[in-house]
Amino acid sequence: METPTLPRDLRDAPDAVAPDEDFLPINGTDYVEFYVGNAKQAAHFYASAFGFQITGYRGPETGYRDASTYLLTQGKIRFLLTTPMGPDGPIAEHIRLHGDGVKDLAIWVDDAASAFEETTKRGGVPVREPEVLEDEHGRIVISAIGTYGDTIHSFVERSDYTGLFMPGFEAVEHPYWKPEPVGLKYVDHCVGNVHLGDMNKYVDYYGDVMGFKNLVSFTDDDISTEYTALMSKVMANGNERVKFPINEPAQGKKKSQIEEYLEFYRGAGVQHVAMATDDILATVTQLRNRGVDFLYVPTTYYDDLQARVGQIDEPVEELAMLGILVDRDPDGYLLQIFTKPVEDRPTVFYEIIQRKGARSFGVGNFQSLFEAIEREQARRGNL
Ligand code: FE2
């Protein structure tokens, strides 16, 4: 395989916005909320397969009539899994249309009212006016704006809150709900797929409305196989704590993986969530032992790995055994692996990533990765 080069030296990316000029200061990802058909069972899957702890619950038993939500945590990662109690309403409609999928990429801010005001006055789509939620542990302020498809960004202010998560949630205990974690630490980035021609619209949205910068861009020259071509731009906030790459399909010979996603998700939405570990060998060993299915990479990928990426700390045989990919950029290297979709519709999947200096996204692996995805698409009859 020819060694692809980074389209743009990441060190040339514009400097972070000076904190006093940043109209949307961000501390990081607050939570990722999924709307799912059966949150009780999905919670069990994320606990047993991915090592999440089921730590909180809100639902009819806690005085919330309309939906059940499970709070899952691992490292700094919070997942919410929400199911409606009936067939009507926006949650049920979201699930009918999209299947299980990500509704909310929530952002942790110091001032949720200001975040709402500053973004909506710049053209952000208002979804939830700032709302104060209070209980005996203090107050949370939450607001939200829309982004691609039916996906939203909530802004969560929690500096005056000392409780478990949010008013309405109660701590839960169950012997099967506290499995050994697998070492997942934080959300590294969340990728969206949008329709052909919409990528720049959302790049502008993140730039204009949220003050994000374009960290790196990939064109279909960088990312194309015989069948798949796509274009991608990575948008990040000033301190790069949140990174949202946006993909759109480009013209290919057959249906690209992005088009397959858009068809089965019935529109734009979150394609994958990347979660970071600081020991990918241990994490992926655990995940495989617990039944998580990863994309298969041919062993030939490892034949000239060292020649492509130079000296790395991890034994190549172990990486090959687990199917972990490696890529280098000017700042260091990264190790990554991708799961197969975690629902029956070929939509949302996960990336496990360990960064050893590298700030990029594994462009050197795109070719092998897309070929692996296409083998799966062909098995589904969607290529
Ligand atoms: Fe990724």
Side-chain angles (χ1 to χ4, degrees), residues 14 39 49 101 112 155 208 211 214 235 256 259 264 327:
F155 298 119
D208 297 343
N214 180 202
M235 301 305 289
S256 77
E259 287 167 295
F264 282 87
D327 194 29

Side-chain angles (χ1 to χ4, degrees), residues 188-191 245 271-274 336 338 349-351 353 355 361-362 366 369:
D188 187 274
H189 59 274
C190 299
V191 181
Q271 178 209 40
H272 74 269
V273 175
Q336 63 187 167
F338 297 83
F349 59 87
Y350 293 93
E351 173 180 353
I353 185 167
R355 295 186 177 278
F361 297 86
F366 285 176
L369 184 62

